Short mmCIF file of all heavy atoms in Angstrom, two decimals:
data_model
loop_
_atom_site.label_atom_id
_atom_site.label_comp_id
_atom_site.label_asym_id
_atom_site.label_seq_id
_atom_site.Cartn_x
_atom_site.Cartn_y
_atom_site.Cartn_z
N ALA A 106 139.90 102.32 63.26
CA ALA A 106 139.26 101.54 62.19
C ALA A 106 137.82 101.15 62.53
O ALA A 106 137.43 100.00 62.38
CB ALA A 106 140.09 100.31 61.89
N SER A 107 137.03 102.13 62.97
CA SER A 107 135.64 101.80 63.32
C SER A 107 134.64 102.74 62.65
O SER A 107 133.53 102.92 63.15
CB SER A 107 135.46 101.83 64.84
OG SER A 107 135.73 103.13 65.33
N GLY A 108 135.03 103.34 61.54
CA GLY A 108 134.08 104.14 60.79
C GLY A 108 133.95 105.58 61.22
O GLY A 108 132.86 106.14 61.24
N ASN A 109 135.07 106.20 61.56
CA ASN A 109 135.10 107.63 61.87
C ASN A 109 135.92 108.29 60.76
O ASN A 109 137.11 108.04 60.64
CB ASN A 109 135.77 107.90 63.21
CG ASN A 109 135.15 107.08 64.33
OD1 ASN A 109 133.98 107.18 64.61
ND2 ASN A 109 135.95 106.22 64.94
N ILE A 110 135.27 109.13 59.95
CA ILE A 110 135.94 109.75 58.82
C ILE A 110 135.86 111.27 58.97
O ILE A 110 134.77 111.82 59.13
CB ILE A 110 135.28 109.36 57.47
CG1 ILE A 110 135.03 107.86 57.39
CG2 ILE A 110 136.13 109.87 56.31
CD1 ILE A 110 136.23 106.99 57.31
N ILE A 111 136.99 111.91 58.89
CA ILE A 111 137.07 113.36 58.97
C ILE A 111 137.31 113.88 57.56
O ILE A 111 138.15 113.34 56.83
CB ILE A 111 138.21 113.81 59.91
CG1 ILE A 111 138.00 113.22 61.32
CG2 ILE A 111 138.29 115.32 59.98
CD1 ILE A 111 138.51 111.85 61.52
N PHE A 112 136.55 114.91 57.17
CA PHE A 112 136.70 115.44 55.81
C PHE A 112 136.22 116.88 55.76
O PHE A 112 135.56 117.36 56.67
CB PHE A 112 135.91 114.58 54.81
CG PHE A 112 134.42 114.61 55.01
CD1 PHE A 112 133.62 115.46 54.24
CD2 PHE A 112 133.81 113.80 55.95
CE1 PHE A 112 132.24 115.49 54.43
CE2 PHE A 112 132.43 113.82 56.13
CZ PHE A 112 131.65 114.67 55.36
N GLU A 113 136.59 117.54 54.68
CA GLU A 113 136.12 118.90 54.43
C GLU A 113 135.27 118.90 53.18
O GLU A 113 135.52 118.16 52.24
CB GLU A 113 137.30 119.86 54.29
CG GLU A 113 138.03 120.07 55.61
CD GLU A 113 139.13 121.12 55.54
OE1 GLU A 113 139.27 121.79 54.48
OE2 GLU A 113 139.84 121.27 56.53
N SER A 114 134.24 119.75 53.22
CA SER A 114 133.32 119.86 52.10
C SER A 114 132.81 121.29 51.98
O SER A 114 132.66 121.98 52.99
CB SER A 114 132.14 118.90 52.31
OG SER A 114 131.17 119.10 51.31
N LYS A 115 132.54 121.69 50.75
CA LYS A 115 131.92 122.99 50.51
C LYS A 115 130.43 122.93 50.84
O LYS A 115 129.81 123.94 51.10
CB LYS A 115 132.10 123.41 49.05
CG LYS A 115 133.53 123.71 48.68
CD LYS A 115 133.65 124.06 47.22
CE LYS A 115 135.12 124.22 46.84
NZ LYS A 115 135.31 124.39 45.41
N VAL A 116 129.87 121.74 50.81
CA VAL A 116 128.44 121.54 51.10
C VAL A 116 128.23 121.62 52.60
O VAL A 116 128.87 120.90 53.36
CB VAL A 116 127.95 120.18 50.54
CG1 VAL A 116 126.49 119.95 50.90
CG2 VAL A 116 128.16 120.11 49.05
N GLY A 117 127.33 122.47 53.03
CA GLY A 117 127.05 122.61 54.45
C GLY A 117 125.85 121.81 54.91
O GLY A 117 125.66 121.61 56.11
N ASN A 118 125.04 121.32 54.00
CA ASN A 118 123.83 120.57 54.33
C ASN A 118 124.22 119.14 54.71
O ASN A 118 124.48 118.31 53.85
CB ASN A 118 122.87 120.59 53.13
CG ASN A 118 121.59 119.85 53.39
OD1 ASN A 118 121.50 118.98 54.25
ND2 ASN A 118 120.57 120.19 52.62
N THR A 119 124.23 118.86 56.02
CA THR A 119 124.70 117.55 56.47
C THR A 119 123.76 116.42 56.06
O THR A 119 124.22 115.31 55.81
CB THR A 119 124.92 117.51 58.00
OG1 THR A 119 123.73 117.90 58.66
CG2 THR A 119 126.05 118.44 58.41
N LYS A 120 122.47 116.68 55.96
CA LYS A 120 121.53 115.63 55.52
C LYS A 120 121.86 115.21 54.09
O LYS A 120 121.85 114.02 53.76
CB LYS A 120 120.08 116.10 55.61
CG LYS A 120 119.59 116.31 57.03
CD LYS A 120 119.47 115.00 57.76
CE LYS A 120 118.97 115.21 59.17
NZ LYS A 120 119.32 114.12 60.04
N ALA A 121 122.17 116.19 53.23
CA ALA A 121 122.53 115.88 51.84
C ALA A 121 123.85 115.11 51.80
O ALA A 121 123.99 114.15 51.02
CB ALA A 121 122.64 117.16 51.02
N LEU A 122 124.79 115.49 52.64
CA LEU A 122 126.07 114.78 52.71
C LEU A 122 125.87 113.34 53.18
O LEU A 122 126.47 112.41 52.63
CB LEU A 122 127.04 115.50 53.64
CG LEU A 122 127.58 116.84 53.17
CD1 LEU A 122 128.37 117.52 54.29
CD2 LEU A 122 128.45 116.68 51.93
N GLU A 123 125.03 113.15 54.20
CA GLU A 123 124.77 111.80 54.70
C GLU A 123 124.20 110.91 53.60
O GLU A 123 124.65 109.77 53.41
CB GLU A 123 123.80 111.86 55.89
CG GLU A 123 124.43 112.40 57.15
CD GLU A 123 123.44 112.71 58.26
OE1 GLU A 123 122.21 112.72 58.02
OE2 GLU A 123 123.91 112.96 59.40
N LYS A 124 123.22 111.42 52.86
CA LYS A 124 122.61 110.64 51.76
C LYS A 124 123.64 110.30 50.70
O LYS A 124 123.69 109.17 50.20
CB LYS A 124 121.45 111.42 51.13
CG LYS A 124 120.17 111.27 51.88
CD LYS A 124 119.62 109.87 51.69
CE LYS A 124 118.51 109.59 52.63
NZ LYS A 124 118.58 108.34 53.32
N LYS A 125 124.46 111.29 50.33
CA LYS A 125 125.49 111.08 49.31
C LYS A 125 126.45 109.97 49.74
O LYS A 125 126.79 109.08 48.95
CB LYS A 125 126.24 112.40 49.10
CG LYS A 125 127.25 112.41 47.99
CD LYS A 125 127.85 113.82 47.85
CE LYS A 125 128.78 113.91 46.68
NZ LYS A 125 129.31 115.27 46.49
N ILE A 126 126.88 110.01 50.98
CA ILE A 126 127.81 109.00 51.51
C ILE A 126 127.13 107.64 51.59
O ILE A 126 127.70 106.62 51.18
CB ILE A 126 128.36 109.44 52.88
CG1 ILE A 126 129.25 110.68 52.72
CG2 ILE A 126 129.13 108.30 53.56
CD1 ILE A 126 129.55 111.41 54.01
N GLU A 127 125.90 107.60 52.10
CA GLU A 127 125.18 106.33 52.20
C GLU A 127 125.00 105.68 50.83
O GLU A 127 125.18 104.46 50.70
CB GLU A 127 123.82 106.55 52.87
CG GLU A 127 123.93 106.80 54.36
CD GLU A 127 122.62 107.15 55.04
OE1 GLU A 127 121.62 107.45 54.34
OE2 GLU A 127 122.61 107.14 56.28
N ASN A 128 124.67 106.46 49.83
CA ASN A 128 124.51 105.93 48.47
C ASN A 128 125.83 105.36 47.94
O ASN A 128 125.86 104.28 47.34
CB ASN A 128 123.97 107.00 47.51
CG ASN A 128 122.53 107.35 47.81
OD1 ASN A 128 121.80 106.59 48.43
ND2 ASN A 128 122.11 108.53 47.38
N CYS A 129 126.93 106.06 48.19
CA CYS A 129 128.25 105.60 47.75
C CYS A 129 128.63 104.30 48.48
O CYS A 129 129.13 103.36 47.85
CB CYS A 129 129.29 106.68 48.01
SG CYS A 129 130.98 106.19 47.59
N MET A 130 128.39 104.25 49.77
CA MET A 130 128.73 103.06 50.55
C MET A 130 127.93 101.85 50.06
O MET A 130 128.47 100.77 49.90
CB MET A 130 128.43 103.27 52.05
CG MET A 130 129.23 104.36 52.72
SD MET A 130 130.96 103.93 52.99
CE MET A 130 131.71 105.10 51.89
N LYS A 131 126.63 102.04 49.82
CA LYS A 131 125.77 100.94 49.35
C LYS A 131 126.29 100.42 48.00
O LYS A 131 126.40 99.22 47.80
CB LYS A 131 124.33 101.44 49.22
CG LYS A 131 123.38 100.46 48.60
CD LYS A 131 122.66 99.67 49.63
CE LYS A 131 121.58 98.87 48.94
NZ LYS A 131 121.14 97.76 49.67
N GLU A 132 126.62 101.35 47.11
CA GLU A 132 127.10 100.97 45.78
C GLU A 132 128.47 100.29 45.86
O GLU A 132 128.72 99.29 45.21
CB GLU A 132 127.18 102.21 44.89
CG GLU A 132 127.49 101.91 43.45
CD GLU A 132 127.44 103.18 42.61
OE1 GLU A 132 126.41 103.88 42.63
OE2 GLU A 132 128.45 103.46 41.95
N SER A 133 129.35 100.82 46.68
CA SER A 133 130.72 100.31 46.78
C SER A 133 130.85 99.04 47.60
O SER A 133 131.62 98.15 47.26
CB SER A 133 131.64 101.38 47.38
OG SER A 133 131.66 102.53 46.60
N LEU A 134 130.10 98.97 48.71
CA LEU A 134 130.25 97.86 49.64
C LEU A 134 129.18 96.79 49.50
O LEU A 134 129.34 95.68 49.99
CB LEU A 134 130.26 98.38 51.09
CG LEU A 134 131.35 99.41 51.42
CD1 LEU A 134 131.18 99.93 52.84
CD2 LEU A 134 132.74 98.81 51.23
N GLY A 135 128.04 97.16 48.89
CA GLY A 135 126.97 96.20 48.70
C GLY A 135 126.04 96.05 49.88
O GLY A 135 125.21 95.15 49.91
N TYR A 136 126.16 96.89 50.87
CA TYR A 136 125.25 96.88 52.01
C TYR A 136 125.07 98.30 52.53
O TYR A 136 125.88 99.19 52.25
CB TYR A 136 125.72 95.94 53.12
CG TYR A 136 127.03 96.30 53.78
CD1 TYR A 136 127.06 97.07 54.94
CD2 TYR A 136 128.24 95.85 53.25
CE1 TYR A 136 128.26 97.40 55.54
CE2 TYR A 136 129.44 96.16 53.86
CZ TYR A 136 129.45 96.94 55.01
OH TYR A 136 130.64 97.26 55.60
N GLU A 137 123.99 98.51 53.28
CA GLU A 137 123.69 99.84 53.80
C GLU A 137 124.62 100.18 54.95
O GLU A 137 124.89 99.35 55.82
CB GLU A 137 122.24 99.91 54.27
CG GLU A 137 121.25 99.92 53.13
CD GLU A 137 119.82 100.14 53.60
OE1 GLU A 137 119.61 100.77 54.66
OE2 GLU A 137 118.93 99.67 52.88
N VAL A 138 125.08 101.42 54.93
CA VAL A 138 125.92 101.94 56.00
C VAL A 138 125.28 103.25 56.46
O VAL A 138 125.40 104.28 55.79
CB VAL A 138 127.37 102.20 55.52
CG1 VAL A 138 128.20 102.81 56.64
CG2 VAL A 138 128.01 100.91 55.02
N ALA A 139 124.58 103.18 57.58
CA ALA A 139 123.97 104.39 58.12
C ALA A 139 125.09 105.38 58.45
O ALA A 139 126.12 105.00 59.00
CB ALA A 139 123.14 104.09 59.35
N THR A 140 124.88 106.63 58.07
CA THR A 140 125.90 107.67 58.21
C THR A 140 125.34 108.82 59.03
O THR A 140 124.24 109.30 58.76
CB THR A 140 126.34 108.17 56.82
OG1 THR A 140 126.83 107.04 56.07
CG2 THR A 140 127.42 109.22 56.92
N PHE A 141 126.12 109.27 59.99
CA PHE A 141 125.73 110.36 60.87
C PHE A 141 126.85 111.39 60.86
O PHE A 141 127.98 111.07 61.23
CB PHE A 141 125.49 109.84 62.29
CG PHE A 141 124.55 108.67 62.33
CD1 PHE A 141 125.05 107.37 62.25
CD2 PHE A 141 123.19 108.85 62.42
CE1 PHE A 141 124.19 106.28 62.27
CE2 PHE A 141 122.32 107.77 62.44
CZ PHE A 141 122.82 106.48 62.36
N ILE A 142 126.54 112.61 60.45
CA ILE A 142 127.58 113.64 60.33
C ILE A 142 127.40 114.71 61.39
O ILE A 142 126.29 115.15 61.67
CB ILE A 142 127.55 114.27 58.92
CG1 ILE A 142 127.93 113.22 57.88
CG2 ILE A 142 128.48 115.48 58.85
CD1 ILE A 142 127.92 113.71 56.46
N ARG A 143 128.53 115.11 61.96
CA ARG A 143 128.59 116.23 62.88
C ARG A 143 129.73 117.13 62.43
O ARG A 143 130.73 116.66 61.89
CB ARG A 143 128.87 115.77 64.32
CG ARG A 143 127.83 114.81 64.91
CD ARG A 143 126.47 115.48 65.07
NE ARG A 143 125.53 114.65 65.79
CZ ARG A 143 124.67 113.80 65.22
NH1 ARG A 143 124.65 113.66 63.90
NH2 ARG A 143 123.83 113.11 65.96
N THR A 144 129.59 118.42 62.68
CA THR A 144 130.69 119.34 62.41
C THR A 144 131.74 119.17 63.50
O THR A 144 131.46 118.59 64.57
CB THR A 144 130.21 120.80 62.40
OG1 THR A 144 129.75 121.14 63.73
CG2 THR A 144 129.12 121.04 61.37
N ASP A 145 132.92 119.70 63.26
CA ASP A 145 133.96 119.63 64.29
C ASP A 145 133.52 120.34 65.56
O ASP A 145 133.78 119.87 66.67
CB ASP A 145 135.29 120.17 63.76
CG ASP A 145 135.19 121.57 63.15
OD1 ASP A 145 134.08 122.07 62.90
OD2 ASP A 145 136.26 122.17 62.90
#
Side-chain angles (χ1 to χ4, degrees):
S107 62
N109 308 300
I110 313 292
I111 301 85
F112 65 98
E113 291 186 6
S114 174
K115 292 178 186 173
V116 177
N118 181 337
T119 55
K120 293 291 180 202
L122 290 172
E123 287 169 348
K124 277 289 168 227
K125 186 177 185 177
I126 293 165
E127 286 174 348
N128 290 339
C129 177
M130 297 287 114
K131 173 95 171 159
E132 188 176 305
S133 300
L134 302 175
Y136 63 94
E137 288 186 27
V138 177
T140 302
F141 308 91
I142 294 179
R143 300 295 188 267
T144 64
D145 53 347

